[in-house]
Amino acid sequence: MTDLAQSAPASMATTSSCLKRDALAIAIIISVAAVGFFLFPNNLALLSRIVIMMLIVLSLDLVTGYGGIATLGQAAISGSGAYAAGIAAAHFGIVDPLAMLAVGAAGGALAGLVSSVIILRGHGLAQLVLSIAIVQLAHEAANKASAWTGGSDGLSGIAPSPVFGMFQFDLWGRTTFFLAVALLIVVFFLLRLIMRSPFGMLCRAIKEDPVRVRAMGAAVKPTLIKLYVLSGAVAGLGGALHAISTRVVGLDSVSFNLSAEALVMLVLGGTGNLFGAMIGTLVFVWFEDLVSSINPFHWLTMVGVLLVAVVLFAPRGLTGAAEDIYRRLRRDREAGK
């Protein structure tokens, strides 16, 4: 009884500390979004694209950073969400943005379920090969089903109605930007809660030592499938938001390049903490846009130099490097006392 009485306050203190960190992170997201809105009012399309990619990279962080699943097939899942939302709008008249997001999340979750059943049959490099095969199959399926997807011409005719019937989508992209930021905040907060739950802890344990977890009697594969479905729903939201933002869904939504870029953004920011997914996406897309405008012929070289530098000098990503610097400064400050 005494141990329980002592552990309860400690648990409450830990929960309170985590909630404070979540509140601080949300405040930072809102602040950065506000700064971007006022500094770049004519480039909100780029800011919305950054938020969309953040959702996709967050979904990748779930399966790779928390579940330890090697995959390059996230574009197939996010693209399924984009096509699901686009087809719902173009062919079935479901044009309410929130309904389109729900359809996209459902399409992404279904694609995540199918992908997980296939990918989890392999291990290591075999998972990478299977995930690449899934992307290629999804790309070819979208191209062949042109009656529904528009094929190589893209799926057009997507005309979302005003959000809540009041906020019309304009040419400047303001409504899309606000919708994207609000969705990112909700998704980030929910994912933080889920990853601190017993389910999230079990996923971390499976990543560290699946054999021991299985020996303890926990179901490894069903847990990873659930994680993949959750990841698919988040990726589907990103895909649906892309369809709402651009009003067209093309084959690039299910391309291997998108999967590779998402993985690079995750490695750049740091895996397994959700913060890294957002920071890596912001830095990569912003740097890519900056150097491509400065030098449209050699910008890929500059991006490559950035990635090589991060891998060599910050192998745990930007967030990992920041944590190391913070610990070093704190240790030096305590030693100075």
Side-chain angles (χ1 to χ4, degrees):
M1 292 294 293
T2 304
D3 293 338
L4 290 175
Q6 291 176 348
S7 63
S11 176
M12 292 178 61
T14 302
T15 302
S16 176
S17 175
C18 292
L19 290 177
K20 288 180 180 178
R21 290 182 62 186
D22 294 346
L24 177 61
I26 291 173
I28 292 174
I29 293 173
I30 295 174
S31 300
V32 173
V35 170
F37 178 79
F38 288 109
L39 289 183
F40 308 101
N42 298 322
N43 206 8
L44 295 181
L46 175 64
L47 300 183
S48 298
R49 176 172 171 256
I50 291 175
V51 176
I52 292 169
M53 284 303 304
M54 283 182 178
L55 291 172
I56 297 174
V57 179
L58 280 172
S59 71
L60 179 61
D61 196 19
L62 291 179
V63 294
T64 300
Y66 288 92
I69 303 172
T71 176
L72 277 168
Q74 209 66 8
I77 300 176
S78 63
S80 297
Y83 274 113
I87 290 173
H91 294 284
F92 296 99
I94 302 176
V95 294
D96 179 74
L98 299 184
M100 291 177 65
L101 289 173
V103 171
L110 180 59
L113 175 62
V114 174
S115 298
S116 65
V117 172
I118 298 173
I119 291 176
L120 292 177
R121 295 184 66 86
H123 301 279
L125 290 177
Q127 288 182 337
L128 283 176
V129 174
L130 288 173
S131 65
I132 294 173
I134 289 174
V135 170
Q136 299 300 331
L137 288 173
H139 186 277
E140 190 62 21
N143 188 32
K144 294 296 184 183
S146 57
W148 290 95
T149 65
S152 58
D153 295 328
L155 176 63
S156 57
I158 302 172
S161 61
V163 181
F164 300 123
M166 296 182 294
F167 304 103
Q168 183 75 39
F169 289 93
D170 51 36
L171 296 176
W172 295 273
R174 287 173 294 198
T175 301
T176 302
F177 176 69
F178 289 130
L179 176 62
V181 172
L183 185 62
L184 176 65
I185 291 172
V186 172
V187 168
F188 173 78
F189 181 70
L190 292 178
L191 290 183
R192 287 280 293 173
L193 291 180
I194 293 173
M195 289 299 105
R196 286 199 303 267
S197 69
F199 170 77
M201 296 301 176
L202 179 58
C203 292
R204 292 172 185 259
I206 291 173
K207 177 188 176 182
E208 295 298 326
D209 196 338
V211 176
R212 180 174 295 182
V213 172
R214 190 178 292 109
M216 293 171 60
V220 173
K221 190 171 182 179
T223 301
L224 292 179
I225 290 177
K226 292 177 184 177
L227 181 64
Y228 229 112
V229 171
L230 174 63
S231 169
V234 176
L237 284 173
L241 190 58
H242 170 75
I244 293 172
S245 173
T246 61
R247 304 194 181 190
V248 63
V249 182
L251 292 178
D252 58 330
S253 299
V254 287
S255 68
F256 174 76
N257 289 341
L258 179 60
S259 291
E261 284 185 354
L263 184 59
V264 168
M265 294 174 195
L266 180 59
V267 172
L268 177 63
T271 62
N273 60 13
L274 299 181
F275 297 103
M278 295 189 295
I279 293 174
T281 304
L282 176 63
V283 171
F284 181 89
V285 178
W286 172 79
F287 187 78
E288 180 186 53
D289 181 74
L290 178 65
V291 297
S292 62
S293 61
I294 295 175
N295 192 329
F297 299 104
H298 301 96
W299 64 274
L300 278 174
T301 303
M302 301 180 195
V303 173
V305 170
L306 170 67
L307 297 178
V308 170
V310 170
V311 171
L312 290 178
F313 301 104
R316 294 201 302 127
L318 297 176
T319 54
E323 290 174 357
D324 292 339
I325 293 173
Y326 173 76
R327 291 194 190 99
R328 191 179 301 113
L329 292 175
R330 185 175 181 180
R331 187 168 56 248
D332 294 342
R333 186 169 60 250
E334 292 176 353
K337 295 180 181 179

